[in-house]
Amino acid sequence: MLRTVIGCLLAVLICGAESVSAQGVLLTDQDHMLPRLHGRHHQIARPVSSYRIKSLEINSTINDQFAVTQVSQTFLNTGKTQIEASFVFPLPYEGAVDSMTFLVDGKEYEAKLLPAKKAREVYEGYIRRNQDPALLEWVGQGMFKTSVFPIPPGAERTVQITYTQLVRQDLGVNDYLIPLSTAKFSQQPLDTFSLRCVLNTRQRLKTVYSPSHNDLEIDRPSDNMAIIQLERQKYTPGNDIRILYSEDNRSLTANLLSYWPAEDEQGFFTLLVSPDIQSPENQKPTPKTVLFVVDRSGSMNGKKIEQARQAAKFILNNLREGDLFNIVTYAADVESYAPELQIFDAQTRKSALAFVEGIFAGGGTNIDGALSNAFNMLNAESGPTYVLFLTDGLATQGVTNEMKIAANARKNNRNDARLISFGVGYDVNSRLLDRMTRENHGRSQYVRPDEDLEEHVSSLYAKIAAPVLTDVSVNFINQGAEAQDTTNRIYPSKDLDLFAGQQLVLVGRYRKSGDAQLRITGKLGEQQQDFEYTVKFQPKSNDSRNIFCAKLWAARRIGEIIDLIDLNGKNPELINELVLLSTEHGIVTPYTSYLADDLAQPGDLADNNLSLERAGEKLEMLTEESGQSGFAQRGYKNSLKMTQSAPATFDSFAGNDLPSGGGGGGGVGGRRAGGRTGAAPSLKKQNSALPVRVAGKFTAYLKGNILFASNATDVDPEKDASKITVITKFSPEYFELIQTTTAAENQLLALQEPKEEMIVRIQGKLYRLK
């Protein structure tokens, strides 16, 4: 069965120019190499043409497990001669297409299947002829190959593929993949990219989750339908789009996905908990309490106070009858709409809207007084309670000490309300906000000066509008002689609520494989609710299908480590763990940006003391509690802690607000990286290869002219020379080696570019590919 779309488009040129698309690669019998977007082609004598893909459009319909997918691409021949091209589609393992049609400008062309052995001859033929390992990742897969069609010079051709497939299912989760990773060979971004997937199920559709992309728009118009979309301009897809979904008629569904790499002592898991899209008609919505605490100091004057008023109106227009609410405003003094919580109805809504219209900006900022006032309104009858706290500056009135303000908030929050902070602009004490939200069961959001505050508040409120289960706890009990919970380091681990239509994504580690009993408990109003499921933790294996579980856990754990260092100070053990996780999983943070310094010495990666020293120096940036750098660092940290998908490429968590240049500077995820001397070379130099490259479970780091695989970063090329087997690339020994490599190792080897050496461990043995 085909677990995915028909793989990445390859186009084999019989003659003419050569290039690459977001879905495909053009090969030729002539001596042409595959281009890379950031490749060092100026070092290579062989030609690389400017063949271009203008657009890529993907439409699919999935009914239960049966999927029909249509892929349309528009190609432009920018050369001066006609291209005679045929397309080749590498088939994923276990792949089988039920039916397929191939059209060029509406005319159908024949396609035939090549078995894996015959397809290997095509892949290896290219590698031998061009001395380029780019296609190694497809060795071992079969392919569909089409007949030849022409593309005249300067002409466009729209290629359309339509095929049907049975979506792969495992442990109740359907797995639909749209392969886009071949875009790494493209010389230019796509002009336009669009994806639209309509998903229908007979049972209630529960889990809809993408471990690969945070930015998919997922609309849930009914319990049995989802519409998934993504539209981009000037777009280079960095990795495949993967969509997981499940269907279940129970009110709460839990799906466990796990991955235990053979070389690790513990496995990784992702738990998806999905309530109904809407509360059942016969179930009265759980009443909640919402307090909106609004900064009206002088710095809020103008657009910010107007947006704050609009955000308050949005909340008032979306409360449910029976909810409790109040609005607290503060400058040097503190005012509120009413002295105590109000029951929401038509009359209180009308008078509260009138109060909002009278909010104006002026005066200092009394954060402590505002929060004390708000928390003291709460009582044991408040039910699920959310305090939405908004500020754009530092505390200037009343208590101004950061630690004292946080301590008072913790003491006054006797009802365990969720504190959700919105930091507006660069002048906020972002460390104070993070400290308060961590200690008061909430989270922080940061709004840049050019962003709309109302959009942030309304988006957050829409997610928490309908609580269906509060104070949620999750426990696993392994079945067998020793009934115990063998999971650990789960994120998030506490302060969990479930809302109608909102999916909870938990990640963690586990020490024992096999069946386990999952118990989820929580409150529905004042009633305790219990749900039990049988789940399975996978044993150790080389199957990397769920590698995202490891990367997603690592991203959240790194966010947690940065948070602990930020709030409690530097700790050698935490710094060491930060360095190890960043290196292993390719998550280059502002504090480990030296990993992306390709001007460093090849032996630097193996020098752990040097890495710890560099990370320790860069962590000094966290002493900045406010300003643009402090704002950006805490926004970045929180994006890691709350991320819903695994970082699959070096730029996954790129940000624009961190400082660049010498000293402690260092950009997020690949904007800038400081070297040993404090200089900050750009990571995307013209005609330069990316210094950090991700391929599945592996990451590779370029140091000088040597590419180090993440499983060999402990190697010093000079000191460990006697332990390394040297093989010349594309020699008979090289091709003997790739006969023994796994698919994941082939992906890694394909990262090596011409003129680069590579140091890598394959099946426990060190190799240097020169």
Side-chain angles (χ1 to χ4, degrees):
M1 295 182 302
L2 179 62
R3 92 174 214 233
T4 75
V5 163
I6 296 185
C8 356
L9 273 180
L10 289 175
V12 179
L13 289 187
I14 304 305
C15 64
E18 166 202 353
S19 176
V20 176
S21 75
Q23 280 277 106
V25 182
L26 299 181
L27 307 181
T28 176
D29 290 334
Q30 300 172 5
D31 188 17
H32 285 177
M33 293 189 59
L34 293 178
R36 277 79 157 176
L37 189 59
H38 305 292
R40 290 180 170 175
H41 293 115
H42 64 292
Q43 298 181 353
I44 311 301
R46 290 171 232 149
V48 180
S49 77
S50 57
Y51 185 93
R52 195 163 87 83
I53 304 303
K54 294 191 65 176
S55 65
L56 172 61
E57 180 181 353
I58 301 169
N59 290 282
S60 64
T61 301
I62 306 174
N63 292 304
D64 294 319
Q65 280 184 263
F66 184 76
V68 179
T69 303
Q70 178 180 287
V71 180
S72 298
Q73 297 181 86
T74 300
F75 296 85
L76 173 64
N77 180 359
T78 58
K80 297 181 179 180
T81 59
Q82 178 163 293
I83 296 173
E84 300 292 332
S86 66
F87 283 87
V88 177
F89 310 92
L91 299 178
Y93 65 93
E94 300 182 71
V97 178
D98 295 321
S99 64
M100 183 181 92
T101 59
F102 180 80
L103 304 176
V104 179
D105 287 347
K107 179 181 178 181
E108 185 168 353
Y109 282 74
E110 180 186 2
K112 62 180 179 180
L113 174 67
L114 296 181
K117 183 176 180 180
K118 186 67 176 176
R120 186 183 187 105
E121 295 176 9
V122 176
Y123 299 134
E124 286 195 10
Y126 168 82
I127 296 167
R128 290 177 187 273
R129 186 170 61 252
N130 294 286
Q131 297 193 358
D132 182 3
L135 300 191
L136 266 178
E137 60 187 287
W138 296 311
V139 168
Q141 300 178 21
M143 66 166 70
F144 269 98
K145 182 176 181 295
T146 74
S147 57
V148 175
F149 64 92
I151 308 178
E156 295 182 2
R157 289 288 183 269
T158 298
V159 173
Q160 185 180 98
I161 309 152
T162 304
Y163 60 90
T164 61
Q165 68 181 91
L166 190 65
V167 177
R168 186 169 63 179
Q169 185 183 85
D170 186 30
L171 298 176
V173 178
N174 299 292
D175 189 347
Y176 178 61
L177 185 77
I178 301 171
L180 299 173
S181 61
T182 48
K184 62 195 170 190
F185 298 121
S186 181
Q187 288 181 323
Q188 296 181 32
L190 297 165
D191 287 352
T192 60
F193 171 83
S194 67
L195 163 72
R196 189 173 191 271
C197 175
V198 179
L199 176 56
N200 298 289
T201 56
R202 283 173 292 182
Q203 297 189 73
R204 281 187 286 186
L205 179 61
K206 301 306 283 288
T207 296
V208 180
Y209 170 67
S210 174
S212 62
H213 285 72
N214 269 330
D215 54 354
L216 294 183
E217 297 179 14
I218 302 176
D219 182 27
R220 303 290 297 271
S222 73
D223 285 341
N224 303 83
M225 184 181 188
I227 300 174
I228 304 161
Q229 298 184 91
L230 179 63
E231 293 189 3
R232 291 290 182 268
Q233 307 292 322
K234 300 299 180 184
Y235 182 60
T236 301
N239 56 302
D240 299 339
I241 294 177
R242 191 173 178 191
I243 299 169
L244 307 179
Y245 64 96
S246 68
E247 49 186 301
D248 198 314
N249 284 328
R250 289 175 291 183
S251 61
L252 190 71
T253 301
N255 298 112
L256 182 77
L257 303 160
S258 58
Y259 165 68
W260 195 342
E263 64 272 15
D264 281 16
E265 295 182 358
Q266 295 188 41
F268 304 84
F269 73 85
T270 300
L271 178 67
L272 308 174
V273 183
S274 307
D276 285 333
I277 300 302
Q278 312 176 45
S279 299
E281 293 182 4
N282 59 354
Q283 178 181 305
K284 185 179 178 181
T286 301
K288 62 183 178 297
T289 297
V290 177
L291 274 166
F292 191 33
V293 184
V294 183
D295 185 346
R296 55 174 172 81
S297 62
S299 57
M300 285 287 292
N301 195 35
K303 183 171 68 173
K304 285 190 285 187
I305 198 67
E306 174 57 30
Q307 290 178 354
R309 283 194 291 263
Q310 293 302 319
K313 292 176 186 178
F314 178 90
I315 293 172
L316 290 170
N317 287 326
N318 286 275
L319 288 168
R320 298 186 178 193
E321 195 158 315
D323 286 343
L324 297 176
F325 79 100
N326 209 338
I327 299 172
V328 177
T329 70
Y330 67 99
D333 59 332
V334 180
E335 296 181 351
S336 60
Y337 157 64
E340 57 188 20
L341 295 174
Q342 300 294 296
I343 298 174
F344 182 76
D345 56 25
Q347 183 176 346
T348 53
R349 172 183 173 274
K350 182 178 180 180
S351 58
L353 286 171
F355 173 80
V356 168
E357 290 292 354
I359 298 175
F360 62 91
T365 308
N366 188 352
I367 291 175
D368 182 71
L371 286 173
S372 296
N373 182 293
F375 283 133
N376 286 328
M377 289 184 185
L378 304 178
N379 55 62
E381 310 302 319
S382 299
T385 302
Y386 306 95
V387 177
L388 278 57
F389 175 73
L390 185 156
T391 184
D392 79 330
L394 306 175
T396 61
Q397 300 288 324
V399 178
T400 58
N401 178 268
E402 175 183 326
M403 301 299 289
K404 183 64 175 175
I405 294 172
N408 287 345
R410 185 172 62 250
K411 180 182 70 174
N412 291 326
N413 187 9
R414 291 177 289 273
N415 294 87
D416 292 330
R418 307 284 195 248
L419 176 63
I420 301 171
S421 296
F422 295 88
V424 185
Y426 297 139
D427 294 331
V428 296
N429 185 334
S430 50
R431 186 174 62 198
L432 168 62
L433 296 189
D434 279 7
R435 189 182 302 280
M436 291 194 302
T437 54
R438 185 181 179 93
E439 295 175 350
N440 290 278
H441 326 292
R443 69 186 193 190
S444 305
Q445 289 197 18
Y446 293 99
V447 186
R448 291 188 178 91
D450 59 345
E451 292 182 312
D452 191 327
L453 168 62
E454 180 195 352
E455 289 185 7
H456 278 260
V457 175
S458 58
S459 175
L460 185 282
Y461 180 79
K463 294 175 182 177
I464 66 172
V468 295
L469 201 65
T470 60
D471 297 324
V472 175
S473 65
V474 175
N475 294 284
F476 296 93
I477 303 297
N478 279 80
Q479 297 180 357
E482 298 181 6
Q484 57 179 323
D485 189 345
T486 60
T487 61
N488 60 90
R489 289 181 289 177
I490 297 174
Y491 303 107
S493 59
K494 58 182 181 178
D495 305 324
L496 305 177
D497 293 339
L498 278 171
F499 304 93
Q502 298 297 317
Q503 190 164 254
L504 179 63
V505 181
L506 283 83
V507 299
R509 306 293 301 269
Y510 66 96
R511 300 186 299 273
K512 184 178 179 181
S513 61
D515 291 339
Q517 205 67 22
L518 166 63
R519 188 181 186 195
I520 299 174
T521 61
K523 291 181 180 178
L524 179 61
E526 294 301 316
Q527 295 183 341
Q528 184 77 16
Q529 299 286 314
D530 297 291
F531 303 86
E532 291 194 356
Y533 310 84
T534 299
V535 296
K536 182 177 181 178
F537 290 101
Q538 296 293 341
K540 287 187 177 184
S541 79
N542 289 317
D543 183 355
S544 58
R545 186 188 321 169
N546 288 338
I547 177 67
F548 73 86
C549 294
K551 289 185 176 289
L552 181 56
W553 179 86
R556 290 194 182 178
R557 175 59 184 166
I558 287 172
E560 176 73 6
I561 290 171
I562 297 171
D563 196 31
L564 291 171
I565 293 173
D566 184 20
L567 301 183
N568 303 320
K570 289 191 288 187
N571 174 301
E573 291 183 0
L574 290 177
I575 296 174
N576 186 58
E577 187 180 359
L578 171 64
V579 169
L580 290 175
L581 288 175
S582 293
T583 305
E584 179 180 355
H585 296 280
I587 302 172
V588 182
T589 72
Y591 319 106
T592 54
S593 58
Y594 59 84
L595 290 170
D597 180 11
D598 57 347
L599 301 179
Q601 296 299 313
D604 284 2
L605 276 175
D607 190 338
N608 190 56
N609 289 331
L610 178 61
S611 294
L612 294 177
E613 179 185 341
R614 287 173 164 177
E617 290 174 356
K618 289 183 176 294
L619 283 163
E620 287 296 318
M621 289 193 294
L622 286 172
T623 60
E624 302 173 40
E625 76 276 3
S626 62
Q628 184 173 349
S629 174
F631 175 99
Q633 289 181 79
R634 286 164 191 109
Y636 169 73
K637 172 185 70 177
N638 286 306
S639 74
L640 285 173
K641 290 177 64 178
M642 297 185 295
T643 185
Q644 299 292 294
S645 63
T649 60
F650 176 47
D651 255 351
S652 290
F653 291 103
N656 299 315
D657 295 305
L658 284 167
S660 60
V668 173
R671 292 302 183 200
R672 311 257 321 161
R676 179 182 282 180
T677 62
S682 169
L683 295 186
K684 292 187 176 179
K685 299 187 289 288
Q686 186 176 7
N687 295 321
S688 175
L690 283 175
V692 180
R693 306 171 201 169
V694 179
K697 64 186 289 187
F698 295 108
T699 304
Y701 300 92
L702 186 64
K703 301 299 174 185
N705 205 41
I706 302 177
L707 195 63
F708 288 82
S710 51
N711 63 6
T713 55
D714 59 336
V715 177
D716 186 309
E718 295 183 4
K719 295 179 181 178
D720 299 318
S722 61
K723 305 174 185 177
I724 303 173
T725 299
V726 178
I727 290 180
T728 302
K729 288 186 295 183
F730 316 116
S731 65
E733 293 78 14
Y734 178 87
F735 285 98
E736 286 179 13
L737 177 65
I738 66 173
Q739 296 291 329
T740 67
T741 48
T742 64
E745 289 167 339
N746 285 339
Q747 277 189 300
L748 173 62
L749 295 179
L751 295 176
Q752 187 180 8
E753 293 193 11
K755 301 296 185 181
E756 292 177 353
E757 298 183 15
M758 181 180 233
I759 293 181
V760 59
R761 274 192 176 88
I762 296 177
Q763 299 173 16
K765 189 173 181 179
L766 279 171
Y767 292 93
R768 184 169 184 170
L769 307 179
K770 301 181 70 173

